Amino acid sequence: DGGITQSPKYLFRKEGQNVTLSCEQNLNHDAMYWYRQDPGQGLRLIYYSQIVNDFQKGDIAEGYSVSREKKESFPLTVTSAQKNPTAFYLCASTQGASGGTDTQYFGPGTRLTVL
Amino acid sequence: AQSVAQPEDQVNVAEGNPLTVKCTYSVSGNPYLFWYVQYPNRGLQFLLKYITGDNLVKGSYGFEAEFNKSQTSFHLKKPSALVSDSALYFCAVRDMVTNAGKSTFGDGTTLTVKP
């Protein structure tokens, strides 16, 4: 089955801790994205990557970091600098690097809760 | 800048009745428009998209949407609603001219179909 996997499904973080959310795709897609979803709000873009070893900040990048060392992997680290990290995090990908007319494919999400 | 508005937080319909979920957009160039559906604690699933051509777009699960350039709208419709259609629906727009292919999502509309 081709698709996007995210792990873990649920993640609990203590104050001051960094945590890393995993995102892997076997669709051979060029571009990958991280979104944050809060209740009553749409998806907000955190970071995106159009090619290996390159990534750009989205609308709410502060307190987050990413890497893209392999085409299929785009992990997101939520650092202690992110003051309100409790949210549902979604990873997505598009076939083309620029997105364009491509459909975005989404992973199942990771729910992060700060204790 | 591009933007999307979903003016209704919630839409309630009876099973078997037609449904409409509204979406309006603002872009500088030609819009690429998408509808996605999200079930609780899941990722988004693609329903349909408008790129160019026929203003009436047909998608998955019997859904369709009509692109109206003069009203800058892209409303999602279904002739006969099912209880299983109950979910959170997102409209998204992508403007290749000014936003490098990044998508902007609306805040979502919760559709409830009652038996």
Side-chain angles (χ1 to χ4, degrees), chain A residues 6-31:
Chain A
Q6 291 186 243
S7 62
K9 187 172 183 178
Y10 298 97
L11 184 58
F12 298 92
R13 191 193 94 169
K14 294 181 179 178
E15 295 280 352
Q17 272 186 340
N18 292 354
V19 292
T20 297
L21 283 59
S22 170
C23 177
E24 304 276 334
Q25 55 102 354
N26 62 3
L27 300 167
N28 198 32
H29 283 180
D30 287 331

Side-chain angles (χ1 to χ4, degrees), chain A residues 16-99:
Chain A
Q17 272 186 340
N18 292 354
V19 292
T20 297
L21 283 59
S22 170
C23 177
E24 304 276 334
Q25 55 102 354
N26 62 3
L27 300 167
N28 198 32
H29 283 180
D30 287 331
M32 298 186 74
Y33 310 79
W34 273 106
Y35 293 94
R36 171 178 171 142
Q37 184 179 16
D38 294 284
Q41 298 189 36
L43 278 64
R44 293 184 290 169
L45 183 64
I46 304 172
Y47 269 98
Y48 66 104
S49 169
Q50 295 175 305
I51 195 170
V52 174
N53 291 323
D54 188 38
F55 47 83
Q56 286 78 41
K57 292 182 179 179
D59 301 318
I60 56 164
E62 185 175 353
Y64 300 97
S65 66
V66 294
S67 63
R68 186 94 185 273
E69 298 176 359
K70 299 185 296 183
K71 186 175 184 178
E72 60 268 26
S73 179
F74 191 42
L76 173 74
T77 297
V78 184
T79 75
S80 57
Q82 171 49 240
K83 297 305 178 188
N84 184 23
T86 295
F88 192 52
Y89 290 86
L90 289 162
C91 180
S93 69
T94 55
Q95 184 171 15
S98 64

